[in-house]
Amino acid sequence: MRGRDPTVASVRLLVRPRGDDDHPERLRQGIDRVLGAADELGRPWAVESLFPGATEPELQRHWVVSGAVQAGPAYDVTRVAYDLAAVVARELDADVEPDLPSSAYGVEPREDDAVDIGESLGDTRGVHLPGSDDLTWVVDAVRARAAWALPPPPGGADRGAGVLVGSVDTGYTDHQELAGAWSFDLDHDVLDGDEDARDPLRRRWYMPLDSPGHGTHTASVIGCRGAGALLGVAPRATIVPIRSVKSVVQVLDGDVARAVHEAHRRGCRVITMSLGGRGFFGLRTAIRAALDDGVIVMAAAGNKVGIVVAPASYPECIAVAATNADSEPWPGSSRGPAVDVSAPGESVWVASVDARADPPAFSERRHHGTSFAVATLAGVAALWIAHHSHDRIVARVGRANVHAAFLHLVRSHGHRVPPGWTEHGWEELYGVGIVDAASLLPAPLPDEADLVPTEAPEVADPVSRLSAVLVGLSREEVRVRVAELLGTAPQAVDDLPLAAVSELVYRLGEDDMLRAGLTAPPGDIELPDRPGAAARRLLERTASRALRAAV
């Protein structure tokens, strides 16, 4: 019996027609015309809405096209996917990007892996700072207890009561520390397409990047009730688990976009994402739709990759870096001008899950990562919304400005500046300081006129997208170095097609040497300070025909 051809792989294209003609049947006819009536397995190409049930016209324009293609080691599926994206974009006059897993967030090792505090990203049995021995040190580091003691205005509540926090992660478990914190009426599983977001807690032996239990780890920082050993920042908030990933490292941006939409439509007032990738236009659209409806959206800056990953890198999303018990930056935290604020992320006590045990073992352990920093800020956001009440905030600043009002107050009142923060220049890399709930909650709500709206193009221009992964370069330096990499003129970089820019961002995010060849000062690496022929050879090993043709 003949088995399945191992060189056949699945691809997903994320498509948004540019004109008004975005009817699904016409899109399907266009796909059949461009890609053929059947994929490599003889099946019709699947065309489905990226945001099922969406009522917003802008969300209704986004589609997923999926099927099987021939690929192999000599010309892998990422190159084929970008070739398909380029031809569909050209022939159908559409914005198109492949939905490819990205490893931009940084690996979190298993519990028995690296032990050095500067090297580990997950649980560690190594040396921890003495200030992190107390299981509730994070609650005190952001002065949450003092915030709980503040009397709320009329209609307000304490400890995050009544606030739904959407956790876009690996789903929920039965860990005893989170009893009473989950919503089992509103949860959703994007991966399986059902209403049960239970984390299956499977760590595939051949897939070291799996993150079983990660959603439980981050949720415990937000909302542990305090009945056991752990206490969350907002112990009366309700966590809505939206299962969208098996690994916070290998992220499919289309699934994350769907998860943001599902959290939004289920009434979450805060959406937190302890994950990251390269991002795409549909994820930004989903975040914008949530912001317009009065939702606060935030994401982890990233781990061990040096750049702020998407969606944290988007201007519409609050980017959170990680600090430690000494109020200093965690060495593994991503950093850069895109970071808005920091929160504890090193040696954070969480409701831990060991998926290797049978049955899975629940315990309390210390973990590292910006995953826990953004979870901490999500808890603070829940405290702020509950304290003032969402209705009162909306009445004051307008529904579309709730996110902007929260960020405005975090920057103006709701943070503390530790000793040395300014002297070391950390405000340029790790945000205004460390979030302070007790200073945030009593701050007067701003006037709508005082808020600066987030201005960003619908599709980021090529230089802006490339700048997100080429940290430290000015816009003109990005033009010059990318132009030399591609063998074209600097002004041509501004006119690169979306699919070409998407592939460049993907390749630069995945290949540290390629990225270093464009960003490192002279003498730091073997490549020249400008990429030239050596860096072009690195790119040519992985670039699609479409990218080479674009330049």
Side-chain angles (χ1 to χ4, degrees):
M1 180 177 178
R2 184 179 179 183
R4 178 173 174 173
D5 186 344
T7 64
V8 173
S10 298
V11 296
R12 292 201 305 189
L13 302 179
L14 305 167
V15 181
R16 178 176 60 186
R18 295 194 187 108
D20 297 329
D21 190 8
D22 56 359
H23 190 278
E25 189 54 39
R26 284 188 286 274
L27 177 60
R28 185 183 302 277
Q29 292 171 359
I31 292 296
D32 289 348
R33 174 173 57 83
V34 175
L35 300 182
D39 67 4
E40 192 64 32
L41 294 177
R43 302 173 305 193
W45 287 88
V47 178
E48 59 179 330
S49 172
L50 178 60
F51 302 113
T55 57
E56 301 90 339
E58 185 57 34
L59 293 179
Q60 292 174 342
R61 297 174 55 210
H62 293 74
W63 302 91
V64 182
V65 176
S66 56
V69 297
Q70 192 86 38
Y75 203 78
D76 68 20
V77 68
T78 68
R79 300 165 92 174
V80 174
Y82 275 108
D83 284 339
L84 296 181
V87 71
V88 171
R90 183 180 66 248
E91 296 297 323
L92 300 187
D93 189 27
D95 297 321
V96 186
E97 296 189 55
D99 200 6
L100 297 170
S102 169
S103 58
Y105 189 65
V107 177
E108 295 189 356
R110 298 185 183 190
E111 294 180 358
D112 55 357
D113 283 346
V115 297
D116 183 83
I117 204 164
E119 298 296 329
S120 173
L121 298 175
D123 179 79
T124 176
R125 298 176 185 177
V127 177
H128 295 279
L129 293 173
S132 69
D133 292 340
D134 188 327
L135 272 67
T136 62
W137 76 267
V138 169
V139 170
D140 296 321
V142 298
R143 296 213 299 153
R145 290 184 211 270
W148 300 341
L150 296 171
D158 64 5
R159 303 188 183 215
V163 178
L164 299 179
V165 179
S167 173
V168 176
D169 214 302
T170 64
Y172 72 88
T173 67
D174 295 326
H175 199 298
Q176 64 275 8
E177 290 287 348
L178 279 153
W182 302 111
S183 168
F184 298 120
D185 297 324
L186 298 172
D187 60 317
H188 181 74
D189 189 329
V190 170
L191 303 183
D192 293 339
D194 59 37
E195 303 305 308
D196 184 2
R198 178 179 289 276
D199 188 334
L201 296 179
R202 288 194 297 268
R203 186 191 289 277
R204 296 165 290 184
W205 65 268
Y206 56 87
M207 182 55 70
L209 303 181
D210 281 351
S211 310
H214 191 272
T216 296
H217 303 165
T218 55
S220 65
V221 177
I222 301 169
C224 271
R225 284 353 198 192
L230 301 179
L231 182 61
V233 173
R236 294 182 64 194
T238 299
I239 301 166
V240 180
I242 308 292
R243 181 172 177 254
S244 59
V245 293
K246 298 176 183 177
S247 165
V248 295
V249 178
Q250 292 282 289
V251 172
L252 287 170
D253 292 303
D255 291 337
V256 176
R258 275 181 169 163
V260 170
H261 171 61
E262 292 296 339
H264 169 203
R265 69 196 294 253
R266 281 163 167 73
C268 294
R269 298 304 188 193
V270 180
I271 298 176
T272 176
M273 291 171 277
S274 292
L275 46 77
R278 63 185 175 85
F280 88 107
F281 52 83
L283 178 52
R284 290 188 70 182
T285 303
I287 292 173
R288 285 182 177 183
L291 264 58
D292 288 344
D293 198 27
V295 181
I296 299 171
V297 181
M298 59 190 66
N303 300 333
K304 286 292 186 180
V305 291
I307 60 173
V308 177
V309 298
S313 60
Y314 293 159
E316 300 91 345
C317 186
I318 299 173
V320 190
T323 53
N324 61 25
D326 285 345
S327 297
E328 295 180 347
W330 173 52
S333 177
S334 287
R335 55 201 177 273
V339 172
D340 295 295
V341 70
S342 287
E346 178 186 308
S347 300
V348 175
W349 287 94
V350 306
S352 189
V353 181
D354 184 356
R356 296 167 299 166
D358 187 16
F362 297 146
S363 63
E364 297 78 39
R365 289 185 181 276
R366 279 177 279 197
H367 286 236
H368 306 323
T370 55
S371 290
F372 313 109
V374 70
T376 300
L377 186 68
V380 172
L383 296 180
W384 181 73
I385 291 175
H387 180 81
H388 293 284
S389 87
H390 193 263
D391 289 345
R392 182 168 175 263
I393 297 170
V394 169
R396 177 73 175 183
V397 302
R399 181 170 294 274
N401 292 316
V402 173
H403 174 100
F406 174 74
L407 182 56
H408 172 83
L409 290 179
V410 167
R411 288 170 170 167
S412 62
H413 293 76
H415 68 275
R416 58 184 175 88
V417 181
W421 196 268
T422 302
E423 291 79 359
H424 291 297
W426 290 338
E427 74 275 11
E428 299 296 327
L429 300 173
Y430 300 95
V432 292
I434 299 173
V435 65
D436 184 328
S439 296
L440 173 71
L441 267 59
L445 293 176
D447 293 325
E448 183 175 352
D450 295 333
L451 301 177
V452 178
T454 300
E455 296 291 344
E458 187 174 358
V459 177
D461 66 276
V463 175
S464 293
R465 284 197 70 178
L466 291 164
S467 295
V469 291
L470 297 176
V471 178
L473 300 183
S474 68
R475 290 179 63 87
E476 187 55 34
E477 287 173 325
V478 168
R479 287 188 182 93
V480 170
R481 298 196 182 192
V482 171
E484 190 165 7
L485 175 69
L486 300 178
T488 188
Q491 60 268 27
V493 174
D494 293 281
D495 298 321
L496 287 172
L498 173 64
V501 176
S502 174
E503 182 171 1
L504 279 172
V505 170
Y506 181 79
R507 303 299 177 197
L508 289 165
E510 298 295 307
D511 191 329
D512 293 342
M513 280 296 292
L514 178 62
R515 188 169 69 249
L518 271 68
T519 59
D524 279 7
I525 56 172
E526 294 180 1
L527 295 175
D529 59 319
R530 291 188 176 183
R536 280 201 296 274
R537 284 195 295 271
L538 286 175
L539 182 62
E540 286 169 358
R541 291 207 303 261
T542 57
S544 68
R545 287 191 297 266
L547 177 58
R548 293 197 293 268
V551 295

